[in-house]
Amino acid sequence: MNEEEYMKLAIKLANKARGRTSPNPLVGAVVVKEGSIVGRGFHKKRGEPHAEINALNDAGGNAKRGDLYVNLEPCNHYGMTPPCTKAVIESGIKRVFVGIEDPNETVAGGGIQCLKKNGIDVKKWILKKECQRLNEVYIKYITEKRPFVILKSAASLDGKIATRNRDTRWITNEKSRTFLHKLRNEMDGILVGIGTIKADDPSLTTRLNGRGGKDPVRIIVDSRLNIPLEAKVLNKESNAKTVIATTDLANREKIKKLEELGEKVIVVGSENNRVDLRELMFELGKLEITSLLIEGGAEVNASSLESGIVDKVMFFYAPKIIGGTEALSMVGGEGVKDLDEAIIIKEIKTRRFGDDILMEGYINR
């Protein structure tokens, strides 16, 4: 194996903890000596040992004079755990291969410099792009203090998310819906508008056939606080919190009632009598919500895109044609006037889930 293959293994290890390390990054580490892998590890959960520590413990005495591959720069500060650089130095590792520098200002190159000062050879930026993609959520959160946002929608082949009678179940197939629950399992939060709550009364939980999925924080955008008190997201069938984002248009007594139920109400500014989504993102960042899945209807989808909060889109298409000018499309609002104003999606990838097709890509900034 070459250095890129070892780094690919570190990335694969890191991915095992996706959805479990927030607000920490995904990190995997591999210890190699004389061409053989002698230690592997990854950061499993916030507060638990970092990937380097787990890999070094796995390697034991074999780490001495070996190489360490890690997708993110080792930390050089005390947090919930001691600095990893100290353990690396004490292990006798002679070389460290790093994917990317940690954007956290408390690390930001300090880990690499510490290793170099202690006589360890450091080779940087192995599979840099892949390592950046692995931690795209962490990078955005740590640098911008707001979550990485994925806009997900499911539609017929002609782009309809409901019939003219607002029938939505089920446009996509079971394989697509299972994938969606896997995605929810990896996210810190899930956001819908009050229209979805009133129309479908969803639980917004993760259902993975008994495999212990994690429920994301449920975030409801509700500018006038019209949410019914009997809504499923306000019931305690899940341990996940519910956050209701509203504006000064909300009834104060209703706010009090919701808070008495144990729910968190966030009052933010309004834009055209709607919740200011950009301001809301910073409020969610304060709650350490690093990743957010938007599963709204046509209007929430439009507002999210217009506000510029979306980083990535995931659009599922089922082989059905619904038709009808009154049938809801994936994105509502006024739309753009001219094609040169259209939002461009880059780095497009497609996947198949039975007969359904998923198209995903990133917003071109």
Side-chain angles (χ1 to χ4, degrees):
M1 293 176 70
N2 58 35
E3 59 189 38
E4 290 192 353
E5 289 173 318
Y6 290 129
M7 188 61 76
K8 284 179 181 178
L9 177 56
I11 292 171
K12 184 177 180 180
L13 287 166
N15 255 316
K16 288 185 175 183
R18 186 169 289 278
R20 298 299 182 270
T21 64
S22 178
N24 292 349
L26 294 165
V27 187
V30 178
V31 180
V32 179
K33 188 172 184 179
E34 297 176 355
S36 297
I37 296 171
V38 295
R40 308 172 193 231
F42 63 98
H43 180 43
K44 297 179 180 179
K45 189 178 180 182
R46 180 185 188 182
E48 294 190 4
H50 288 185
E52 300 93 321
I53 306 303
N54 288 328
L56 291 171
N57 287 341
D58 188 38
N62 288 324
K64 191 171 183 179
R65 305 296 298 165
D67 297 333
L68 173 67
Y69 289 80
V70 59
N71 59 282
L72 187 72
E73 172 187 10
C75 64
N76 188 38
H77 67 286
Y78 282 89
M80 297 181 76
T81 59
C84 292
T85 50
K86 183 174 183 292
V88 173
I89 294 164
E90 292 176 349
S91 73
I93 285 286
K94 69 175 182 178
R95 291 191 300 179
V96 176
F97 294 78
V98 177
I100 56 173
E101 184 176 284
D102 193 326
N104 189 333
E105 59 185 14
T106 60
V107 184
I112 291 173
Q113 290 305 315
C114 176
L115 295 174
K116 286 182 175 180
K117 286 179 181 178
N118 283 274
I120 296 176
D121 183 24
V122 179
K123 187 169 183 181
K124 302 183 293 184
W125 319 158
I126 311 301
L127 295 184
K128 182 178 180 180
K129 185 174 180 180
E130 289 87 343
C131 291
Q132 287 173 330
R133 277 287 175 243
L134 171 71
N135 271 307
E136 59 191 6
V137 168
Y138 171 73
I139 292 170
K140 182 179 181 185
Y141 175 73
I142 212 70
T143 58
E144 300 184 26
K145 313 302 181 189
R146 55 196 177 110
F148 183 90
V149 179
I150 298 175
L151 174 61
K152 170 264 170 185
S153 193
S156 60
L157 205 56
D158 56 335
K160 303 297 184 180
I161 62 174
T163 68
R164 67 176 187 271
N165 292 330
R166 302 302 185 257
D167 182 15
T168 62
R169 297 191 179 186
W170 296 102
I171 290 177
T172 52
N173 63 32
E174 187 174 347
K175 289 183 178 180
S176 295
R177 297 196 296 275
T178 298
F179 176 80
L180 169 62
H181 285 285
K182 290 179 180 177
L183 185 59
R184 286 183 180 181
N185 178 54
E186 297 173 355
M187 306 297 288
D188 287 349
I190 180 172
L191 181 148
V192 300
I194 184 60
T196 296
I197 296 297
K198 285 187 168 183
D200 301 331
D201 193 21
S203 298
L204 301 180
T205 53
T206 298
R207 298 180 290 281
L208 288 175
N209 297 324
R211 284 188 285 169
K214 171 180 69 72
D215 292 338
V217 175
R218 285 83 58 87
I219 299 132
I220 315 303
V221 175
D222 184 1
S223 62
R224 297 179 183 273
L225 217 56
N226 290 323
I227 186 168
L229 295 179
E230 62 273 13
K232 288 180 181 177
V233 291
L234 301 182
N235 295 333
K236 299 303 178 184
E237 64 180 63
S238 170
N239 292 325
K241 296 178 181 177
T242 296
V243 175
I244 301 101
T246 192
T247 68
D248 287 334
L249 299 171
N251 181 284
R252 294 293 162 179
E253 286 300 315
K254 186 73 170 287
I255 292 177
K256 186 177 179 181
K257 284 183 181 180
L258 288 165
E259 290 176 338
E260 287 173 351
L261 289 173
E263 312 301 349
K264 185 172 183 61
V265 179
I266 298 177
V267 180
V268 298
S270 61
E271 195 169 11
N272 298 322
N273 293 328
R274 294 181 175 181
V275 169
D276 186 330
L277 294 178
R278 283 168 291 195
E279 183 180 342
L280 175 60
M281 293 305 106
F282 287 104
E283 292 300 320
L284 296 181
K286 293 176 185 177
L287 299 177
E288 293 190 333
I289 293 176
T290 68
S291 57
L292 181 67
L293 180 66
I294 296 178
E295 284 194 47
E299 295 308 312
V300 167
N301 291 351
S303 298
S304 301
L305 290 167
E306 289 168 7
S307 66
I309 67 168
V310 178
D311 297 289
K312 183 178 182 179
V313 297
M314 300 183 76
F315 288 173
F316 290 83
Y317 291 94
K320 302 172 183 176
I321 296 175
I322 292 175
T325 56
E326 295 181 8
L328 291 177
S329 298
M330 296 174 88
V331 181
E334 291 185 2
V336 300
K337 292 181 180 178
D338 303 304
L339 276 177
D340 59 6
E341 298 174 358
I343 296 170
I344 305 300
I345 308 300
K346 63 180 182 179
E347 298 181 50
I348 293 288
K349 292 182 180 179
T350 60
R351 283 190 263 180
R352 291 286 296 269
F353 294 92
D355 290 334
D356 292 349
I357 297 173
L358 167 62
M359 293 189 68
E360 55 185 319
Y362 295 85
I363 302 291
N364 187 32
R365 302 297 185 193

